[in-house]
Amino acid sequence: MRRIFGSVRARAALGATAVVAVALIAAGVSLLLVLRSNLTGQTDLRAEIAAQNVASQVALDVPYHKLHLPDSDENPVQVVTEDGRLRAASDDLDAVTGTATTAVHPVPAEHDDSDDHDDDDHGSSDDPPRGKVSHDHAHFSAGTATVDGDTADYRFASVEVTNGSDDTLIVYAGAPLTTEQSAVSTVRGAMLIGLPALLVVVAGVTWLVTRRALRPVEGIRREMAAITASEDLARRVPEPGSHDEVAWLARTTNETLTALEKSVDRQRRFVADASHELRSPIASLRTQLEVGAAHPELLDVDGAVADTVRLQELAADLLLLARLDAGERPGAARIDLGELVREEVSRRQTGRVPVTVHAVGGLEVDGSRGQLARVIGNLLDNAQRHARASVEVSVRRRDGRLVTEVADDGPGVPPEERERIFERFVRLDDARTRDDGGAGLGLAIARDVAHRHGGTLTVGDGSVFALDLPAPHTGDRTGDRTGDRTGARSGRPGPA
């Protein structure tokens, strides 16, 4: 059973059918109730009219045996006293229920003077009515009547009347429910036949519509299964031409596949480039060790140490990139950015190019001290590597953010290369030698760390690298004014 209703099509068809079934049943029951009420009301009206007609005759003191009673099949009539004695009844009435008495044979009145009156006296137009028909609403009841041996359900209307002798009588007149029962039965039978057929149609149409709507989803599923089996991330799922949720799903799936393909290609290139970068120092170090083992006097200790240091730095860079790719978040320590810059500059005072710092204290940022120090150090190393005679570093506050600019007087970065230099293992043609250039990871690491701290790292005209970081909301306006004056005094251009 679970497997039968496991598909979306089956559940949609079942749900739609259930909803329509409940709605149709409720509507059908309401229709039957309204129809029965209307037809019963019409039947009551017919019975009341017949009762009022007979009551009018009783009020005129028409003798009971001379009452003009309607047809027994259509309107069986009883005239009953207050104490339940039958005075008049339809001739063909054999049995009755639902009235004040079940008697069908009239009981003669003890003082019935109606027979002593001549027909002419009753026919005189000068005599006013001597009785009174109640103007209250008639009372209705349900019962049965047997007329000429045929028993049927009736609705009875009772009307109270007073004759000329001030005797109060009740006139009962019935109307058959045959028409009402026939109509309700016909409608009920039609509903019992039509409802299942309509539910079958609803279920079938829902199944077909859902199947057609989900056909692109099945195509997406098959293609995704094929991509998983073949591991070919260049393939894409089919996108339907409709503008619905299924088309958006296919489009989003293809965008995800594109991002996944780029990520996998990036990782493959990363592994290949890392292997290439590691191979050279390892091969050089092995060669020096083998030569040293065979000829100790020829061992280049300084070169071996340099290769080992390079391997250590490259391994540290690769480990940091792996942690960044894994989503490592920076800490929440409060760091004085100007102080951090001066510390990193002091470690490089022995470099071939001097570094000038324009920074004041109080410019703080939240983040990882080690990672931000790595960014500043990489920018300084890059600037000293390409500068001709000087490197300048400035730290200032601008528009609620902290901007650190590292500029050198070197040849600068061509505009078409200003984004590519931040890719991993990318070195421009003039920096590909082992002596002049690194592994091509410094700027990539610096940008990744900047992004992890909610900032940016860009390069502008010439060789101006700008690190833009969000500043904590400390409300210190003094730092803003001091930073702005310092930045203006440095004379360095802003970020690109």
Side-chain angles (χ1 to χ4, degrees):
M1 183 65 66
R2 182 179 301 178
R3 186 173 182 179
I4 294 176
F5 295 103
S7 66
V8 176
R9 289 174 295 181
R11 292 197 298 270
L14 180 63
T17 304
V19 171
V20 173
V22 171
L24 289 179
I25 290 174
V29 171
S30 301
L31 176 62
L32 289 177
L33 293 176
V34 172
L35 179 61
R36 184 189 296 273
S37 177
N38 290 338
L39 293 177
T40 301
Q42 295 178 9
T43 303
D44 290 344
L45 179 61
R46 294 199 308 270
E48 183 180 4
I49 292 174
Q52 291 284 358
N53 185 23
V54 176
S56 299
Q57 298 180 55
V58 173
L60 292 173
D61 280 342
V62 176
Y64 298 128
H65 67 280
K66 292 184 178 181
L67 290 174
H68 180 69
L69 303 180
D71 184 69
S72 301
D73 290 333
E74 294 296 327
N75 302 109
V77 174
Q78 284 181 313
V79 180
V80 184
T81 62
E82 285 186 303
D83 55 2
R85 290 180 297 172
L86 182 64
R87 291 304 188 193
S90 298
D91 294 336
D92 298 330
L93 183 62
D94 298 331
V96 67
T97 62
T99 61
T101 178
T102 59
V104 294
H105 299 292
V107 178
E110 296 179 359
H111 302 284
D112 190 359
D113 297 333
S114 61
D115 292 342
D116 298 334
H117 297 290
D118 294 332
D119 294 341
D120 294 338
D121 294 337
H122 292 289
S124 177
S125 60
D126 296 333
D127 295 335
R130 286 170 287 176
K132 180 180 179 183
V133 179
S134 174
H135 294 289
D136 294 338
H137 293 293
H139 300 283
F140 301 96
S141 60
T144 62
T146 303
V147 180
D148 287 338
D150 296 330
T151 302
D153 294 326
Y154 283 78
R155 289 283 295 179
F156 290 97
S158 61
V159 176
E160 189 174 294
V161 60
T162 303
N163 61 14
S165 302
D166 289 333
D167 296 329
T168 301
L169 298 102
I170 301 175
V171 178
Y172 290 93
L177 291 171
T178 306
T179 303
E180 180 265 352
Q181 293 174 344
S182 177
V184 172
S185 177
T186 301
V187 173
R188 183 171 57 245
M191 291 177 58
L192 292 176
I193 296 174
L195 180 60
L198 182 59
L199 292 180
V200 170
V201 172
V202 170
V205 171
T206 305
W207 177 277
L208 294 177
V209 171
T210 308
R211 179 182 179 182
R212 181 178 180 85
L214 293 179
R215 188 175 299 167
V217 177
E218 178 61 22
I220 294 173
R221 187 200 65 79
R222 287 197 301 266
E223 187 62 25
M224 287 298 295
I227 293 173
T228 303
S230 64
E231 299 183 357
D232 183 8
L233 296 178
R235 299 175 62 172
R236 296 294 180 266
V237 300
E239 294 186 14
S242 59
H243 300 281
D244 54 12
E245 290 81 356
V246 177
W248 300 340
L249 172 63
R251 193 172 302 112
T252 303
T253 302
N254 284 335
E255 292 173 356
T256 303
L257 288 173
T258 301
L260 183 61
E261 182 184 14
K262 291 181 179 179
S263 177
V264 172
D265 289 343
R266 182 182 180 185
Q267 292 298 326
R268 289 173 178 171
R269 291 195 303 269
F270 177 77
V271 172
D273 292 339
S275 301
H276 176 75
E277 293 294 334
L278 289 171
R279 182 167 35 189
S280 296
I282 290 175
S284 175
L285 181 60
R286 178 180 178 180
T287 300
Q288 294 180 57
L289 293 177
E290 289 176 349
V291 171
H295 305 281
E297 70 280 3
L298 299 179
L299 177 62
D300 184 6
V301 177
D302 294 337
V305 171
D307 287 336
T308 303
V309 171
R310 185 182 179 195
L311 281 173
Q312 183 180 7
E313 294 176 349
L314 182 57
D317 289 343
L318 294 177
L319 180 60
L320 178 57
L321 285 174
R323 293 203 307 268
L324 294 176
D325 289 341
E328 179 182 286
R329 307 302 301 177
R334 186 62 58 88
I335 304 164
D336 189 318
L337 196 56
E339 180 183 349
L340 181 64
V341 168
R342 282 191 289 270
E343 289 179 1
E344 292 300 316
V345 170
S346 64
R347 295 177 183 177
R348 292 164 175 79
Q349 290 296 341
T350 58
R352 70 178 185 87
V353 178
V355 179
T356 304
V357 179
H358 302 282
V360 295
L363 301 180
E364 296 181 333
V365 67
D366 291 334
S368 170
R369 185 178 186 87
Q371 292 185 8
L372 291 178
R374 188 64 171 276
V375 174
I376 301 299
N378 288 351
L379 293 179
L380 290 174
D381 291 341
N382 180 75
Q384 286 186 320
R385 183 181 299 118
H386 297 91
R388 293 190 181 93
S390 65
V391 174
E392 292 188 6
V393 182
S394 65
V395 182
R396 60 177 175 170
R397 187 188 299 269
R398 184 176 63 190
D399 297 332
R401 301 179 69 86
L402 299 183
V403 180
T404 303
E405 294 181 347
V406 180
D408 63 77
D409 59 352
V413 182
E416 65 275 7
E417 302 288 350
R418 289 177 182 173
E419 283 299 318
R420 198 170 73 88
I421 61 174
F422 293 105
E423 297 179 6
R424 299 176 183 182
F425 298 105
V426 171
R427 290 172 294 184
L428 301 185
D429 292 339
D430 62 351
R432 289 189 178 274
T433 65
R434 178 181 175 183
D435 295 333
D436 295 335
L441 293 177
L443 294 180
I445 291 175
R447 171 167 278 191
D448 285 349
V449 171
H451 288 169
R452 291 295 187 278
H453 284 74
T456 60
L457 177 61
T458 57
V459 57
D461 295 337
S463 297
V464 182
F465 287 82
L467 173 64
D468 188 309
L469 296 174
H473 298 285
T474 59
D476 184 6
R477 304 304 301 172
T478 304
D480 291 348
R481 293 190 298 269
T482 304
D484 291 342
R485 289 196 301 269
T486 304
R489 189 167 56 249
S490 66
R492 305 305 303 171

